[in-house]
PDB file of all heavy atoms in Angstrom:
ATOM      1  N   GLN A  81      85.506 105.205 100.639  1.00  0.00           N
ATOM      2  CA  GLN A  81      85.441 106.564 100.003  1.00  0.00           C
ATOM      3  C   GLN A  81      86.767 107.238 100.295  1.00  0.00           C
ATOM      4  O   GLN A  81      87.148 107.394 101.396  1.00  0.00           O
ATOM      5  CB  GLN A  81      84.288 107.386 100.585  1.00  0.00           C
ATOM      6  CG  GLN A  81      84.200 108.796 100.028  1.00  0.00           C
ATOM      7  CD  GLN A  81      83.890 108.820  98.573  1.00  0.00           C
ATOM      8  OE1 GLN A  81      83.043 108.099  98.138  1.00  0.00           O
ATOM      9  NE2 GLN A  81      84.576 109.687  97.804  1.00  0.00           N
ATOM     10  N   MET A  82      87.481 107.610  99.234  1.00  0.00           N
ATOM     11  CA  MET A  82      88.838 108.162  99.351  1.00  0.00           C
ATOM     12  C   MET A  82      88.749 109.591  98.771  1.00  0.00           C
ATOM     13  O   MET A  82      88.529 109.825  97.556  1.00  0.00           O
ATOM     14  CB  MET A  82      89.776 107.356  98.570  1.00  0.00           C
ATOM     15  CG  MET A  82      89.887 105.876  98.932  1.00  0.00           C
ATOM     16  SD  MET A  82      91.154 104.952  98.157  1.00  0.00           S
ATOM     17  CE  MET A  82      90.552 104.921  96.431  1.00  0.00           C
ATOM     18  N   ASN A  83      88.970 110.558  99.677  1.00  0.00           N
ATOM     19  CA  ASN A  83      88.962 111.932  99.266  1.00  0.00           C
ATOM     20  C   ASN A  83      90.382 112.553  99.510  1.00  0.00           C
ATOM     21  O   ASN A  83      91.288 111.999 100.186  1.00  0.00           O
ATOM     22  CB  ASN A  83      87.989 112.729 100.127  1.00  0.00           C
ATOM     23  CG  ASN A  83      86.556 112.290  99.947  1.00  0.00           C
ATOM     24  OD1 ASN A  83      86.189 111.827  98.836  1.00  0.00           O
ATOM     25  ND2 ASN A  83      85.715 112.417 100.996  1.00  0.00           N
ATOM     26  N   SER A  84      90.585 113.709  98.907  1.00  0.00           N
ATOM     27  CA  SER A  84      91.929 114.387  99.015  1.00  0.00           C
ATOM     28  C   SER A  84      93.064 113.438  98.761  1.00  0.00           C
ATOM     29  O   SER A  84      94.015 113.424  99.557  1.00  0.00           O
ATOM     30  CB  SER A  84      92.031 114.998 100.430  1.00  0.00           C
ATOM     31  OG  SER A  84      90.985 115.973 100.698  1.00  0.00           O
ATOM     32  N   LEU A  85      92.995 112.739  97.719  1.00  0.00           N
ATOM     33  CA  LEU A  85      93.929 111.722  97.354  1.00  0.00           C
ATOM     34  C   LEU A  85      95.339 112.369  97.117  1.00  0.00           C
ATOM     35  O   LEU A  85      95.373 113.493  96.569  1.00  0.00           O
ATOM     36  CB  LEU A  85      93.491 110.918  96.170  1.00  0.00           C
ATOM     37  CG  LEU A  85      92.454 109.791  96.484  1.00  0.00           C
ATOM     38  CD1 LEU A  85      91.776 109.398  95.251  1.00  0.00           C
ATOM     39  CD2 LEU A  85      93.106 108.663  97.222  1.00  0.00           C
ATOM     40  N   LYS A  86      96.338 111.626  97.525  1.00  0.00           N
ATOM     41  CA  LYS A  86      97.755 112.052  97.374  1.00  0.00           C
ATOM     42  C   LYS A  86      98.477 111.061  96.486  1.00  0.00           C
ATOM     43  O   LYS A  86      98.148 109.911  96.458  1.00  0.00           O
ATOM     44  CB  LYS A  86      98.439 112.189  98.732  1.00  0.00           C
ATOM     45  CG  LYS A  86      97.773 113.047  99.660  1.00  0.00           C
ATOM     46  CD  LYS A  86      98.433 113.000 101.087  1.00  0.00           C
ATOM     47  CE  LYS A  86      97.664 113.901 102.081  1.00  0.00           C
ATOM     48  NZ  LYS A  86      98.381 113.846 103.444  1.00  0.00           N
ATOM     49  N   PRO A  87      99.620 111.490  95.891  1.00  0.00           N
ATOM     50  CA  PRO A  87     100.373 110.536  95.047  1.00  0.00           C
ATOM     51  C   PRO A  87     100.831 109.337  95.906  1.00  0.00           C
ATOM     52  O   PRO A  87     100.933 108.220  95.317  1.00  0.00           O
ATOM     53  CB  PRO A  87     101.548 111.398  94.630  1.00  0.00           C
ATOM     54  CG  PRO A  87     101.004 112.749  94.504  1.00  0.00           C
ATOM     55  CD  PRO A  87     100.066 112.830  95.648  1.00  0.00           C
ATOM     56  N   GLU A  88     101.064 109.441  97.135  1.00  0.00           N
ATOM     57  CA  GLU A  88     101.501 108.386  97.991  1.00  0.00           C
ATOM     58  C   GLU A  88     100.368 107.409  98.298  1.00  0.00           C
ATOM     59  O   GLU A  88     100.622 106.358  98.895  1.00  0.00           O
ATOM     60  CB  GLU A  88     102.151 108.885  99.292  1.00  0.00           C
ATOM     61  CG  GLU A  88     101.269 109.895 100.038  1.00  0.00           C
ATOM     62  CD  GLU A  88     101.711 111.325  99.809  1.00  0.00           C
ATOM     63  OE1 GLU A  88     101.956 111.680  98.558  1.00  0.00           O
ATOM     64  OE2 GLU A  88     101.768 112.126 100.766  1.00  0.00           O
ATOM     65  N   ASP A  89      99.184 107.671  97.874  1.00  0.00           N
ATOM     66  CA  ASP A  89      98.062 106.707  98.074  1.00  0.00           C
ATOM     67  C   ASP A  89      98.069 105.769  96.828  1.00  0.00           C
ATOM     68  O   ASP A  89      97.255 104.807  96.894  1.00  0.00           O
ATOM     69  CB  ASP A  89      96.735 107.503  98.003  1.00  0.00           C
ATOM     70  CG  ASP A  89      96.574 108.329  99.322  1.00  0.00           C
ATOM     71  OD1 ASP A  89      96.877 107.856 100.384  1.00  0.00           O
ATOM     72  OD2 ASP A  89      95.998 109.441  99.151  1.00  0.00           O
ATOM     73  N   THR A  90      98.948 105.954  95.877  1.00  0.00           N
ATOM     74  CA  THR A  90      99.003 105.053  94.742  1.00  0.00           C
ATOM     75  C   THR A  90      99.411 103.677  95.172  1.00  0.00           C
ATOM     76  O   THR A  90     100.194 103.412  95.950  1.00  0.00           O
ATOM     77  CB  THR A  90     100.036 105.575  93.696  1.00  0.00           C
ATOM     78  OG1 THR A  90      99.554 106.791  93.132  1.00  0.00           O
ATOM     79  CG2 THR A  90     100.235 104.533  92.588  1.00  0.00           C
ATOM     80  N   GLY A  91      98.691 102.705  94.549  1.00  0.00           N
ATOM     81  CA  GLY A  91      98.971 101.249  94.825  1.00  0.00           C
ATOM     82  C   GLY A  91      97.827 100.383  94.421  1.00  0.00           C
ATOM     83  O   GLY A  91      96.824 100.835  93.868  1.00  0.00           O
ATOM     84  N   VAL A  92      97.971  99.132  94.700  1.00  0.00           N
ATOM     85  CA  VAL A  92      96.946  98.121  94.474  1.00  0.00           C
ATOM     86  C   VAL A  92      96.190  98.012  95.755  1.00  0.00           C
ATOM     87  O   VAL A  92      96.734  97.644  96.851  1.00  0.00           O
ATOM     88  CB  VAL A  92      97.449  96.777  93.999  1.00  0.00           C
ATOM     89  CG1 VAL A  92      96.311  95.842  93.790  1.00  0.00           C
ATOM     90  CG2 VAL A  92      98.273  96.976  92.712  1.00  0.00           C
ATOM     91  N   TYR A  93      94.866  98.145  95.723  1.00  0.00           N
ATOM     92  CA  TYR A  93      94.005  98.103  96.937  1.00  0.00           C
ATOM     93  C   TYR A  93      93.292  96.742  96.943  1.00  0.00           C
ATOM     94  O   TYR A  93      92.666  96.316  95.963  1.00  0.00           O
ATOM     95  CB  TYR A  93      93.025  99.217  96.914  1.00  0.00           C
ATOM     96  CG  TYR A  93      93.603 100.533  97.345  1.00  0.00           C
ATOM     97  CD1 TYR A  93      94.572 101.156  96.489  1.00  0.00           C
ATOM     98  CD2 TYR A  93      93.283 101.162  98.534  1.00  0.00           C
ATOM     99  CE1 TYR A  93      95.104 102.383  96.880  1.00  0.00           C
ATOM    100  CE2 TYR A  93      93.902 102.313  98.922  1.00  0.00           C
ATOM    101  CZ  TYR A  93      94.814 102.923  98.107  1.00  0.00           C
ATOM    102  OH  TYR A  93      95.417 104.136  98.501  1.00  0.00           O
ATOM    103  N   TYR A  94      93.392  96.018  98.046  1.00  0.00           N
ATOM    104  CA  TYR A  94      92.849  94.709  98.188  1.00  0.00           C
ATOM    105  C   TYR A  94      91.761  94.752  99.250  1.00  0.00           C
ATOM    106  O   TYR A  94      91.957  95.274 100.350  1.00  0.00           O
ATOM    107  CB  TYR A  94      93.921  93.692  98.643  1.00  0.00           C
ATOM    108  CG  TYR A  94      95.064  93.503  97.629  1.00  0.00           C
ATOM    109  CD1 TYR A  94      96.188  94.319  97.778  1.00  0.00           C
ATOM    110  CD2 TYR A  94      94.986  92.579  96.672  1.00  0.00           C
ATOM    111  CE1 TYR A  94      97.247  94.181  96.828  1.00  0.00           C
ATOM    112  CE2 TYR A  94      96.032  92.338  95.771  1.00  0.00           C
ATOM    113  CZ  TYR A  94      97.114  93.191  95.864  1.00  0.00           C
ATOM    114  OH  TYR A  94      98.185  92.959  94.923  1.00  0.00           O
ATOM    115  N   CYS A  95      90.646  94.044  98.910  1.00  0.00           N
ATOM    116  CA  CYS A  95      89.607  93.867  99.840  1.00  0.00           C
ATOM    117  C   CYS A  95      89.870  92.587 100.637  1.00  0.00           C
ATOM    118  O   CYS A  95      90.394  91.620 100.119  1.00  0.00           O
ATOM    119  CB  CYS A  95      88.317  93.716  99.111  1.00  0.00           C
ATOM    120  SG  CYS A  95      86.866  93.210  99.951  1.00  0.00           S
ATOM    121  N   ASN A  96      89.524  92.660 101.970  1.00  0.00           N
ATOM    122  CA  ASN A  96      89.708  91.481 102.849  1.00  0.00           C
ATOM    123  C   ASN A  96      88.390  91.280 103.625  1.00  0.00           C
ATOM    124  O   ASN A  96      87.858  92.274 104.134  1.00  0.00           O
ATOM    125  CB  ASN A  96      90.813  91.680 103.736  1.00  0.00           C
ATOM    126  CG  ASN A  96      90.977  90.555 104.761  1.00  0.00           C
ATOM    127  OD1 ASN A  96      90.412  90.521 105.804  1.00  0.00           O
ATOM    128  ND2 ASN A  96      91.790  89.559 104.461  1.00  0.00           N
TER     129      ASN A  96
END
Side-chain angles (χ1 to χ4, degrees):
Q81 178 65 44
M82 304 185 293
N83 298 329
S84 302
L85 282 161
K86 304 176 181 179
E88 50 264 43
D89 294 318
T90 294
V92 179
Y93 283 68
Y94 297 91
C95 171
N96 177 273

